Amino acid sequence: MSDTAKQPVAYVRDTMLEQKPAPLSQIGAVRWIKENLFSGWFNSILTLVSIFVIYKILAGTLPWMLGGVWSAGSLSECRDILNAKFGNTHYACWAVLTERWNQLLYGFYPSTEYWRANLAFFLMLLAIAPILFDALPRKLLWISAAFPFLMVWLVWGGTIWGPVGIAVGFVIGALAMKVLVRFGDVLALIGAVVAAIVWWMFIGPSVVDALDASLPIGHLKEVESRELGGFMICVIIGIAGIALSLPIGVVLALGRQSDLFIVKVICVGFIEFIRGVPLITLLFTASLILNYFLPPNTNFDLTIRVIIMVTMFSSAYMAEVIRGGLAALPKGQYEAADALGLDYWKAQRLIIMPQALKISIPGIVNTFIGLFKDTTLVMFIGIFDMLGLSNAIRANSAWNGVYWELFIFIGLVFWASCFAMSQYSQWLERKLRTDHH
């Protein structure tokens, strides 16, 4: 027997080692901090400098914010309270929000009718929920369809027949399209628009007036548009502009790529003209010039005029965003639609447009956020939004000198709204992802 065979086996394990947790430096918060904040000497210096800057900012702002006064009748009274408590006035006077929050949110809307504005806001959330989340019951879409008419009735008041008359116009248009579709899609669309306009302009007003006089159902106290304001008017204009600009933008984008020369020229001219004009110019047009083109003794509500101009402005930008999505779509998708024998509208509805809209989600939401923030420009044409009301509050001798408190509150309200839209768009992008990266 050789010497190698005589040597015993050094070690053979007959039991498993007991499982132990990973080192603390390789898991959890410690690992994240090491990889993201102190991964190298340069990142470590940037992290320390950033911590110092954040500390200095918070050290200056937190005492100012948390040590403020929430109950006072004027700025002078607020300063007296601060002097008695701290010996100086270097703290916030939040009392202006405690006293004027309802004005910032509702404008000059009658306080006894706040329930109508609150109900309209709740119905708005209920109406957009099934549109944004397909997991909700589809029956809720009936609330979505009825909400625009309910909102008009709740916010402006009057009887229920006015909004019903407007809704009947859409029903008549849909019926006309259903009847005329056998003669072609374009003719059916034109006939539907004509039928609805004839009802709204000539027949509907007389029918509504007769019903108002004989059967005033659901009469609410009428509120004029000049009494609307604050965050309420921003929501009304913003939601209306968002809801209307997306379908109009889709039509304009398709029209710009159309082979029909007249359609293409009209769409290109509209888009380029609107994009070349500042929104404030269109708002002044809505406020001052538009009345000159209307028949004598015509009362065209200012809020409706502003919604029309804001929608036109947003639609032009929306059309370019969607056109970018259409251009990014591979040519093979169009060829696949042709190979399946689909006509133009079916191809757009089933294959082309869903993919183009998915590609365009970031740009669409970016346009929506910009539109919602641009609603503050209405202050320049005499509509008191939140910024306009902040100026009105500061013009009062009791609160003359208050700045930061009002602007911080307004900024937080808009940030919360825009952040919610941004988070939804990111969630929708993740939900619609079809790649596996």
Side-chain angles (χ1 to χ4, degrees):
M1 185 178 293
S2 63
D3 296 336
T4 305
K6 293 179 181 180
Q7 293 178 359
V9 177
Y11 180 75
V12 176
R13 182 177 301 282
D14 56 1
T15 59
M16 294 296 294
L17 284 176
E18 185 179 346
Q19 187 175 2
K20 295 182 179 180
L24 293 177
S25 60
Q26 299 299 319
I27 59 173
V30 176
R31 180 181 179 181
W32 185 90
I33 291 173
K34 184 178 178 181
E35 290 183 351
N36 294 278
L37 301 181
F38 299 98
S39 58
W41 67 269
F42 184 70
N43 282 351
S44 301
I45 293 174
L46 286 180
T47 298
L48 295 175
V49 171
S50 301
I51 291 173
F52 175 76
V53 172
I54 293 172
Y55 166 76
K56 296 297 289 185
I57 293 174
L58 294 179
T61 56
L62 284 181
W64 177 82
M65 295 174 63
L66 301 178
V69 175
W70 287 91
S71 179
S74 65
L75 182 59
S76 59
E77 183 182 344
C78 191
R79 288 172 175 169
D80 292 340
I81 295 173
L82 290 173
N83 272 320
K85 186 176 181 181
F86 301 105
N88 60 64
T89 59
H90 301 156
Y91 294 90
C93 183
W94 300 114
V96 63
L97 301 180
T98 306
E99 184 176 310
R100 298 298 184 96
W101 66 270
N102 52 351
Q103 195 172 358
L104 287 170
L105 294 181
Y106 300 102
F108 302 105
Y109 208 75
S111 58
T112 57
E113 308 297 321
Y114 282 169
W115 67 270
R116 289 159 51 181
N118 295 334
L119 180 58
F121 185 77
F122 172 75
L123 289 176
M124 180 197 74
L125 298 178
L126 198 61
I128 64 176
I131 297 174
L132 300 181
F133 304 102
D134 58 359
L136 293 176
R138 296 295 87 191
K139 291 181 179 179
L140 290 176
L141 289 173
W142 287 106
I143 299 177
S144 306
F147 169 72
F149 313 104
L150 291 174
M151 185 201 70
V152 171
W153 174 56
L154 287 171
V155 172
W156 278 274
T159 65
I160 194 67
W161 296 118
V164 168
I166 299 174
V168 168
F170 287 100
V171 173
I172 290 175
L175 292 175
M177 176 176 286
K178 189 174 182 180
V179 171
L180 297 174
V181 72
R182 68 187 68 176
F183 301 105
D185 294 334
V186 176
L187 183 60
L189 181 62
I190 294 174
V193 172
V194 171
I197 291 176
V198 168
W199 169 263
W200 287 328
M201 298 293 294
F202 303 105
I203 304 174
S206 302
V207 175
V208 169
D209 290 341
L211 290 172
D212 282 342
S214 60
L215 198 63
I217 295 177
H219 189 275
L220 296 175
K221 178 183 177 182
E222 294 190 16
V223 179
E224 296 186 10
S225 286
R226 66 170 180 266
E227 297 180 72
L228 304 180
F231 186 61
M232 180 181 177
I233 195 68
C234 293
V235 171
I236 291 174
I237 296 174
I239 292 297
I242 287 171
L244 295 173
S245 63
L246 180 58
I248 296 175
V250 170
V251 173
L252 289 173
L254 294 176
R256 183 159 190 163
Q257 293 189 329
S258 174
D259 295 329
L260 299 174
F261 178 75
I262 299 298
V263 173
K264 185 173 184 177
V265 167
I266 292 174
C267 292
V268 171
F270 177 86
I271 292 170
E272 297 302 329
F273 173 76
I274 296 296
R275 291 174 67 213
V277 177
L279 177 58
I280 188 65
T281 304
L282 297 177
L283 293 178
F284 277 119
T285 301
S287 175
L288 303 173
I289 303 175
L290 197 59
N291 277 339
Y292 292 109
F293 298 95
L294 297 175
N297 302 321
T298 300
N299 184 19
F300 197 13
D301 190 88
L302 177 59
T303 304
I304 304 299
R305 282 182 273 161
V306 169
I307 289 174
I308 292 173
M309 288 300 179
V310 168
T311 301
M312 290 171 57
F313 183 80
S314 180
S315 297
Y317 284 87
M318 190 65 64
E320 289 300 282
V321 170
I322 295 170
R323 187 171 70 91
L326 291 170
L329 205 61
K331 187 179 179 181
Q333 297 297 316
Y334 295 90
E335 295 172 349
D338 292 338
L340 290 173
L342 300 177
D343 61 22
Y344 177 80
W345 295 109
K346 285 185 178 179
Q348 293 293 335
R349 181 169 59 87
L350 299 175
I351 296 179
I352 307 301
M353 196 52 64
Q355 297 183 76
L357 290 177
K358 186 182 76 169
I359 296 171
S360 307
I361 286 175
I364 290 173
V365 176
N366 188 54
T367 305
F368 286 166
I369 291 174
L371 166 63
F372 188 69
K373 292 188 294 184
D374 284 343
T375 57
T376 55
L377 293 175
V378 298
M379 64 178 289
F380 294 108
I381 59 172
I383 296 178
F384 286 90
D385 70 312
M386 296 183 80
L387 282 178
L389 285 169
S390 71
N391 294 333
I393 291 171
R394 290 187 290 108
N396 190 316
S397 58
W399 297 108
N400 189 11
V402 170
Y403 292 95
W404 286 104
E405 294 85 348
L406 290 169
F407 293 144
I408 287 174
F409 175 74
I410 295 170
L412 285 175
V413 170
F414 274 94
W415 176 83
S417 304
C418 297
F419 182 72
M421 285 190 273
S422 175
Q423 290 300 300
Y424 172 77
S425 73
Q426 293 180 34
W427 172 83
L428 188 61
E429 285 183 68
R430 292 192 297 268
K431 183 174 181 293
L432 297 178
R433 284 183 68 176
T434 55
D435 60 312
H436 300 285
H437 300 292

